[in-house]
Amino acid sequence: MNEMARLQKRRLAVYGWMLSAPALALMSLFAFYPAIATFWHSLFSRGTSRRPSVFAGFENYGDLFADPTFWTVATNNLIYAGVTIPVSIIFALVMALWANAHIPARSFVRSAYFTPTILPMIAAANLWLFFYTPDLGVIDQITGFFGASPTNWLGQPETALASVIIVTIWKEAGFFMIFYLAALQTIPPDLREAARIEGAGRWTYTRRVLLPLLMPTTIFVFVNAMINSVKLIDHLFILTKGGPNNASKLILYWIWEMAFAYFDSPHAAAMTILVLLALGLVAVAQFRLVEKRTHYR
Amino acid sequence: MRNIVTSAAFAAGLMATAASPAFAATELTMYYPVAVGGPLTSVIDGMIEGFEAENPDVKVNAIYAGNYDDTRLRAVSAIKSGDPAQLSVMFSIDVYDLIEQDLIVPFDDVVKTAEDKEWLKSFYPALMANGEVDGKTWGIPFQRSTIVMYYNKDMFREAGLDPEMPPQTWEELVSTGKALSKDGKWGLMVPSTGYPYWMFQCFAIQNGKELMSADGTETYFNDPAVVEALEFWRGLATEEKIMPEGTIEWGTLRQAFVQGQTAMMWHSTGNLSAVKREAQFDFGVAMLPKHKQPGSPTGGGNFYLFKDSTDEQKEASLALIKYMTAPERAAEWSIATGYVGVTPDAYETDVLKAYVADFPPALVARDQLEVSVAEFSTYDTARVREGLNNAIQAALTGEKTPEEALGDAQSEAERLLRAFH
């Protein structure tokens, strides 16, 4: 009897491993192995024709922390994430509620909002490069009409990062709107009717019924926006190249520079590992805190 | 998306290599960048076809790889992944890094005959400067430029200035600029994104000081003449008010000029043909104004030979480079782009003679070669350059004084270059 139970248990364990094997193999190949290899690589000094690479322990990490650029770039990325994530989500939600309401030309509104998403980032950045051009650009044409003097949006440290952030929001909000639209379509109208009968106003209904029901979507969009805030740097290559004086440089762009412009892959690897750690911590926090407060049906 | 395109091209390259028959002749892979406007890949493809027709036993895969950074990246990763290119056009200032990474061989090791040794001497010396390291020649000029001053003759006339007399000194530059800056139009724009260090070299050399030593191990950012040069550049916007404040975007400057937003601009001669196509007004091209002396850095891309190739491939590569830098091709390339013809002989060809007779601005960049210096390049060049770029931008945007910014960049450069003395 006991024997039977043990066999049964073991068989279940084998089934479990078999079921997860394909995913596990793929994950190992494309995620675990590269991460470990990157970590290993980050422990060695940079080898050149004159000096072979040697084991350096955590020296590369020490160099990063001692480099003022590291702190500039990290701060920039925190601001970038701190603004683009909530603002894109709020914009997406407002746009979705509006595009879901009974207004004329509803499909036109939807597709207009969605257009930026379809454009490749490089093309979008080139468009915005001309929007931002002092004097000639659309933005200065408009402000100039009201008598403002031309502003060098991308060419001054005070506004360079903000300009990059605006492009990102413009690009992302339409994409996230699609998810919200889909979620709104699935909410049964009788909930709204019931709330009406109970005497709840529009605002109460939105706050007490609609938003909680949209929470799973919000989580999904939030995770996406989070990943994008670290991974989205295409427009930097076109708009500012991280300048002026690092004012708009983000982490991944800096990693790219170290690896491919400076031929310094060990430091790039070290920085990559730091990013992985930070994202890992965020993921853990998300699962622990936010998941509890979400109602899945 | 770009990655997908790159890997597709890469895969195509792999397949081309794999599919070549065993008895085939020498096969060469070459990466090249395009850094200025115009449909230039077709010009290159035409040259390659011409070469293959003359040399049926050589097959060349010329792969367009984006800008200079992308090209270096593609070529180096191809080598490291075991599918090497045998030659490539890359940034002339990458030379120290390529030597340091042990990726390239000097041409001196490949040229054998007296005739070939003469050929090495046939180029303009100013264009060879970047490729000559430790007494050897590592790079052969292909797409090379200097910085010239484009100016709008119509705006000169409107301001009551002589359109055939562009400013020739810093003082004249300021006074001319003041006469031209009005009604929301600017007198001068010098770009300060993308390649700030390159434009800064103009001011520094005109003020009598080069930014680095010839062996690529020392920089002179905090030299008083260099600091003064940056103060002058900054002052064009803050004191003289003939240029907008903040940094000026490299990518949109040509547009600003052809739309008449600025009467003068400093830009690569590689843009000459594009300006010629786009400008709806009478424009002129002049050498940069002098201060203590005239001068401009050279710029652009050189041919390099990679180490990891057979002797046959090295010889075939040399033949290809000789073909592509021959006077007729150099002339054709110069007309298509505005880049300098790399040898004096190029300017003796009938095509180029006819072209410059009709369009004299095409000669300005060449004439300026007399007073041109090597483009800024040191060991660990990208990092040192980035420090200098940041210093220039910090000074132009008013975050730091020129002296402070350049002092910081100098100590950073000294720290990086200590290992190479």
Side-chain angles (χ1 to χ4, degrees), chain B residues 9 15 19 136 161 229 231 275 285-286 289 296 353 360 395 406:
Chain B
M15 297 213 295
K136 291 187 170 171
L161 299 161
E231 280 163 355
V275 172
V285 176
S296 156
K353 269 186 174 162
L406 288 167

Side-chain angles (χ1 to χ4, degrees), chain A residues 185-207:
Chain A
Q185 312 277 324
T186 63
I187 292 175
D190 40 345
L191 287 178
R192 189 193 190 95
E193 284 156 19
R196 277 266 170 81
I197 290 164
E198 298 286 343
R202 181 176 290 187
W203 171 237
T204 316
Y205 167 74
T206 304
R207 207 166 54 97

Side-chain angles (χ1 to χ4, degrees), chain B residues 256-332:
Chain B
F257 178 73
V258 298
Q259 303 243 358
Q261 290 291 318
T262 177
M264 299 182 274
M265 72 161 174
W266 291 13
H267 220 306
S268 163
T269 176
N271 267 314
L272 180 59
S273 301
V275 172
K276 186 179 175 216
R277 272 194 303 275
E278 293 166 8
Q280 302 290 326
F281 50 80
D282 191 9
F283 79 95
V285 176
M287 281 202 215
L288 297 179
K290 61 177 186 284
H291 187 53
K292 287 175 185 157
Q293 60 186 50
S296 156
T298 60
N302 279 348
F303 274 112
Y304 295 99
L305 292 173
F306 289 116
K307 198 169 203 157
D308 192 8
S309 60
T310 63
D311 286 350
E312 292 79 46
Q313 285 174 323
K314 285 198 176 81
E315 259 175 55
S317 300
L318 188 64
L320 175 61
I321 293 169
K322 277 165 78 173
Y323 180 88
M324 289 186 74
T325 54
E328 297 74 38
R329 256 73 59 190
E332 177 193 0

Side-chain angles (χ1 to χ4, degrees), chain A residues 46 48-51 129-130 133 135-136 152 155 157 239 243-246 249 256-258 260-264, chain B residues 72-73 97 100-101 184 186 245-247 249 252 255-256 261 379-380 382-383 386 390 393-394 397 399 419:
Chain A
R46 177 166 67 148
T48 61
S49 64
R50 292 154 192 244
R51 293 161 300 171
L129 190 58
F130 283 96
T133 306
D135 273 347
L136 290 178
N152 194 344
L239 290 171
N245 190 16
N246 292 337
K249 197 168 282 179
W256 178 87
E257 260 187 347
M258 285 194 287
F260 301 122
Y262 308 157
F263 290 112
D264 189 356
Chain B
R72 178 186 54 227
L73 194 60
D97 281 340
E100 178 69 8
Q101 297 280 317
W186 294 100
E245 289 207 29
T247 56
E249 170 57 38
T252 52
Q255 235 65 26
Q261 290 291 318
Y379 282 98
D380 213 350
R383 262 212 172 97
E386 178 69 8
N390 287 338
Q393 292 186 333
T397 55
E399 280 182 277

